[in-house]
Amino acid sequence: MNTQPARIVFVRSKEGKEKLRPALSPGNLDKTIAAPVTAIIAHDLMFYENLPTAFPHRPDAIKLFQGDDKKAGNVTVAFRNGSLQGAYFIVAARALGLDRGPMSGFDNAKVDAAFFPDGRWISNFLCNLGKGDPSKIFTRSPRLTFEEACRLA
Ligand SMILES: Cc1cc2nc3c(=O)[nH]c(=O)nc-3n(C[C@H](O)[C@H](O)[C@H](O)COP(=O)(O)O)c2cc1C
């Protein structure tokens, strides 16, 4: 229903990076502090507020989600659709010629406490953006074959 739950904080400043620092896993620390931009891909648990505009052909759609913002159905929609948007974000950054460093290696609760204290937005993953040093970044990793990843039914 065109919910568009993803919300993005582009962390660019030194102060912003210092707010991120305590949440980062050791392997992700230096590259995140060095990256020109670290995007926090989050989702808004009250995404449904935009439905009257975003999904105009069903004006009552908002009622499906109103009430308990933390109920499982709402959280699942926000997480699933926000993750898809996050993946498109990576593809879009790539299309612009940027290197992308998506990361799960961080403490979500610490990022949420530092950046989203009211609890309405929840962090999903981080994504560094910039131009990597080719001598230091990985080349493209192997992908599974069709047979490994798919079944025909
Ligand atoms: C959601 C997500 C989380 C990831 N977490 C980390 C991470 O915490 N640290 C890291 O160095 N790489 C992380 N990666 C990068 C993956 O290891 C990498 O994208 C994957 O191996 C495919 O790499 P390639 O597209 O460069 O071949 C993450 C990627 C994704 C999509």
Side-chain angles (χ1 to χ4, degrees):
M1 285 193 284
N2 200 23
T3 52
Q4 301 178 69
R7 303 289 182 265
I8 302 171
V9 179
F10 291 93
V11 181
R12 304 177 302 169
S13 66
K14 194 168 182 323
E15 297 73 37
K17 290 294 184 75
E18 289 307 315
K19 270 171 82 175
L20 269 182
R21 182 188 287 275
L24 299 169
S25 67
N28 289 331
L29 183 59
D30 291 346
K31 59 190 175 188
T32 301
I33 298 300
V37 178
T38 303
I40 305 172
I41 312 296
H43 41 269
D44 181 0
L45 292 177
M46 296 181 77
F47 61 86
Y48 54 79
E49 285 191 338
N50 296 309
L51 284 177
T53 312
F55 204 61
H57 44 288
R58 187 163 168 193
D60 64 344
I62 188 172
K63 293 190 190 141
L64 295 171
F65 300 100
Q66 275 172 323
D68 177 7
D69 295 333
K70 298 251 162 76
K71 71 183 170 193
N74 281 20
V75 174
T76 299
V77 167
F79 179 63
R80 179 190 297 124
N81 296 5
S83 295
L84 285 165
Q85 289 186 272
Y88 300 144
F89 173 92
I90 294 169
V91 173
R94 179 178 181 155
L96 291 172
L98 294 167
D99 285 318
R100 301 81 40 211
M103 294 172 286
S104 294
F106 70 99
D107 185 327
N108 289 72
K110 284 185 181 166
V111 167
D112 292 347
F115 288 88
F116 312 126
D118 69 6
R120 175 171 168 156
W121 293 13
I122 292 180
S123 61
N124 185 349
F125 65 96
L126 306 177
C127 187
N128 288 334
L129 296 173
K131 296 276 190 181
D133 176 349
S135 69
K136 292 183 183 164
I137 57 177
F138 295 117
T139 54
R140 189 174 189 265
S141 298
R143 263 48 173 180
L144 300 185
T145 63
F146 180 89
E147 288 71 24
E148 288 170 320
C150 305
R151 288 181 187 169
L152 298 175

